[in-house]
Amino acid sequence: MIPEDLRYTAEHEWVKVDEERVRVGITDYAQRSLGDIVYVTLPEVGSDVVAGQPCGEVESTKSVSDVYAPVSGEVVARNENLTSRPELVNTDPYGEGWMLEIRPNDSAELGGLLDAEGYRRLVGNDEGSSDA
Amino acid sequence: MSSGPRRSPLHSWHVAHKAAFAEFAGWEMPREYPTGVLAEHQAVRTAVGIFDVSHLGKIIVRGPGAREFANRCLTNDLDRIGPGRAQYTLCCRDDGGIVDDLIVYLRSDDDLLLIPNAANAATVAEILGRDVPDGVQIADRHADFAVLAVQGPASAAVLDAAGLPRPHQYMSFLEAGDGFTVCRTGYTGELGYELVVPSEQAEKIWQRLIEAGERFGITPCGLGARDTLRTEMGYPLHGQDISPEVTPNQARLGWAVGWRKPAFRGRDALLAERERGPSRLLRGLRVTGGGIPRPGMAVVRADDAGEVIGRVTSGTFSPTLRMGIGLALLDPSVAAGDSVAVDIRGRRVPAVVVDPPFVDADPRRDPA
């Protein structure tokens, strides 16, 4: 499942562009590759994140994977529900399983993200990868 | 001959049921099915699960005096059990390091079945072979048998419904002909059975158990759930918690050593270590501060200095407790109940030292 209205990173994050902030999560492909997600670590609200750098972690029973910031900016919200219900990332990755909201420093960075078609091509050529 | 990973005789069934695979000791085995690790784990704790653990080794030691011979090599005392009984034991090096942990099935004084770990089967066979007496044969039968584990409170009912014989006492077994053995053993902490089946019969028996188990909610489970289940019990995994660098004293497996036996491999070194006290001990950790410990992470004192007092050897999320748990080799000054911290990628996360099991489960409990 790859919604048409979202943008994507090669590291399997999705980005929903709002006017002055972007919402971020991991894709359905990523959650399926990881299996049951049991713990999520996210940056504090107010902290700065750098595009392409790890800013959080998702853990399955067996392993831990980084979540990468899709754009540089300030974290303005994070999904506190994931502390007690990390499984929301599995059950509703594009909805209740969202992770962060970031206010981008430079909205031009958004132009570098993949569209749905580009991401579809990526996972089509990338079967078996489990990076999130 | 393919040079790829070895596969179970049930491999095509797993593929057809959309298992995700992982390579384990050179074997490509199901990690989980689409059900997912958490639901598979829960099925074993509350109903029944079925695992393909055919990667486990199978060694047959046969001939006059086979039992006495094995008893001179392995640590536990085979004189504590009689025919029809199984025993957890260790194969150690002369310096006391653990080459493998394994189960010995005593069929008769002249006929033993050994189930070592997949990665160590050949090494165990080699060590046994070093001083095998005339007339005793050691046969490495790794690929000739499948091992199916039926585990959980409803496991007895599933075997009954499948028309299979069922041994009553924990750590006992029955032979059902054609090299088919049913054992009341397991690695989950629940009531359960392990079936050693000739490879060519594996799929037929597996199907029969799945059909018989349907009304009990039988759930195929992968090695992911097997790992969370055994970690909740504090059962060590060779290659992680125990290894040739770890002794039975350090792993607190002294109960699996026949200290009064005149001979077993590693005896002198282990007696000496027991006398002076081991340099570290394997204990449990409950991570109370949020986060999941992973092998290799440092365990530190909870004070400001944060001195390193050991390393995590196994760690996972406990589906039962809904928190991170782990096993760790810790300085012997650390005791159960102590507050410590785990260095989780630079975060010092509070944890409490405990003596496993982490959960209220006991494989000795009889069927309801």
Side-chain angles (χ1 to χ4, degrees):
Chain A
M1 187 171 62
I2 300 175
E4 292 299 326
D5 60 332
L6 303 179
R7 311 298 289 274
Y8 299 89
T9 70
E11 287 80 30
H12 308 286
E13 287 84 22
W14 57 261
V15 178
K16 184 175 188 187
V17 182
D18 204 340
E19 287 197 355
E20 59 184 28
R21 50 171 68 185
V22 297
R23 185 171 268 205
V24 179
I26 66 167
T27 65
D28 182 55
Y29 175 86
Q31 70 80 15
R32 275 189 287 120
S33 307
L34 291 167
D36 290 333
I37 289 162
V38 295
Y39 198 76
V40 179
T41 309
L42 296 173
E44 304 277 346
V45 171
S47 62
D48 289 318
V49 295
V50 178
Q53 297 295 312
C55 66
E57 295 164 350
V58 284
E59 301 210 36
S60 67
T61 51
K62 198 65 197 166
S63 64
V64 55
S65 303
D66 287 319
V67 178
Y68 294 89
V71 293
S72 299
E74 182 190 347
V75 176
V76 290
R78 64 177 188 178
N79 187 352
E80 303 290 350
N81 286 338
L82 298 184
T83 307
S84 56
R85 298 180 62 201
E87 67 274 13
L88 291 172
V89 178
N90 292 116
T91 56
D92 192 8
Y94 299 113
E96 283 195 83
W98 69 276
M99 292 182 174
L100 293 175
E101 288 182 352
I102 299 169
R103 185 184 296 122
N105 294 337
D106 177 3
S107 52
E109 264 183 8
L110 296 167
L113 297 171
L114 299 165
D115 60 10
E117 178 55 30
Y119 183 64
R120 197 172 296 119
R121 238 177 296 144
L122 178 87
V123 296
N125 296 333
D126 194 23
E127 285 295 330
S129 165
S130 63
D131 257 12
Chain B
M1 197 64 193
S2 158
S3 61
R6 303 175 80 176
R7 287 173 169 173
S8 154
L10 293 162
H11 187 80
S12 57
W13 191 96
H14 304 316
V15 171
H17 290 79
K18 299 191 162 45
F21 291 89
E23 195 166 321
F24 189 82
W27 288 69
E28 187 181 30
M29 298 299 290
R31 186 190 70 212
E32 62 186 292
Y33 298 87
T35 319
V37 173
L38 297 181
E40 292 171 16
H41 179 109
Q42 184 70 1
V44 173
R45 288 271 179 257
T46 61
V48 59
I50 183 166
F51 302 76
D52 177 8
V53 287
S54 300
H55 61 295
L56 292 174
K58 305 97 192 169
I59 298 171
I60 292 171
V61 181
R62 196 174 279 167
R67 171 204 182 110
E68 282 156 36
F69 157 64
N71 211 22
R72 286 196 301 276
C73 180
L74 305 173
T75 61
N76 210 337
D77 190 351
L78 280 168
D79 290 342
R80 288 174 184 165
I81 62 167
R85 290 309 193 101
Q87 185 179 65
Y88 178 82
T89 190
L90 305 166
C91 177
C92 286
R93 302 196 303 201
D94 290 332
D95 69 0
I98 302 171
V99 172
D100 200 19
D101 62 339
L102 59 157
I103 306 271
V104 177
Y105 297 88
L106 183 66
R107 298 199 276 219
S108 75
D109 286 350
D110 303 335
D111 189 3
L112 283 61
L113 168 66
L114 277 50
I115 304 281
N117 284 289
N120 303 324
T123 313
V124 170
E126 186 271 318
I127 288 175
L128 285 167
R130 282 181 204 168
D131 30 34
V132 62
D134 284 348
V136 174
Q137 281 94 43
I138 297 164
D140 187 344
R141 307 282 301 275
H142 209 143
D144 297 342
F145 296 92
V147 184
L148 319 182
V150 183
Q151 302 278 306
S155 55
V158 172
L159 263 66
D160 291 347
L164 293 169
R166 171 161 72 74
H168 288 285
Q169 276 183 299
Y170 180 59
M171 297 300 280
S172 68
F173 66 95
L174 293 172
E175 286 169 273
D178 293 340
F180 179 1
T181 308
V182 184
C183 320
R184 193 175 152 189
T185 48
Y187 197 46
T188 64
E190 298 297 330
L191 170 70
Y193 303 86
E194 291 175 307
L195 286 65
V196 183
V197 182
S199 291
E200 60 277 10
Q201 291 182 42
E203 185 147 0
K204 188 183 73 182
I205 301 288
W206 175 272
Q207 288 284 9
R208 189 161 144 194
L209 288 162
I210 297 243
E211 280 161 33
E214 198 179 344
R215 65 191 165 99
F216 303 101
I218 199 167
T219 302
C221 301
L223 297 183
R226 187 171 152 89
D227 192 57
T228 53
L229 288 157
R230 71 93 192 168
T231 306
E232 284 190 341
M233 293 307 291
Y235 293 158
L237 173 63
H238 198 276
Q240 283 188 198
D241 311 296
I242 55 177
S243 73
E245 312 308 318
V246 178
T247 68
N249 294 315
Q250 295 166 13
R252 301 169 82 209
L253 292 172
W255 60 271
V257 178
W259 295 106
R260 292 180 187 164
K261 291 200 298 183
F264 60 88
R265 211 171 263 279
R267 181 176 180 272
D268 294 348
L270 291 172
L271 281 168
E273 185 193 42
R274 194 162 78 136
E275 191 63 33
R276 68 174 182 269
S279 59
R280 52 189 183 168
L281 292 170
L282 188 66
R283 294 194 182 276
L285 294 174
R286 285 172 63 121
V287 178
T288 49
I292 299 172
R294 303 290 181 184
M297 287 179 178
V299 181
V300 302
R301 291 202 194 276
D303 55 23
D304 288 345
E307 178 201 359
V308 175
I309 48 173
R311 294 274 162 193
V312 175
T313 53
S314 279
T316 190
F317 175 78
S318 162
T320 304
L321 302 178
R322 301 198 62 79
M323 62 175 10
I325 60 169
L327 300 177
L329 282 166
L330 300 177
D331 187 273
S333 67
V334 181
D338 285 1
S339 292
V340 296
V342 183
D343 182 342
I344 300 185
R345 294 177 292 279
R347 274 194 310 140
R348 270 183 59 175
V349 180
V352 178
V353 178
V354 298
D355 284 333
F358 293 91
V359 297
D360 175 30
D362 186 346
R364 291 168 185 80
R365 275 178 204 152
D366 283 319

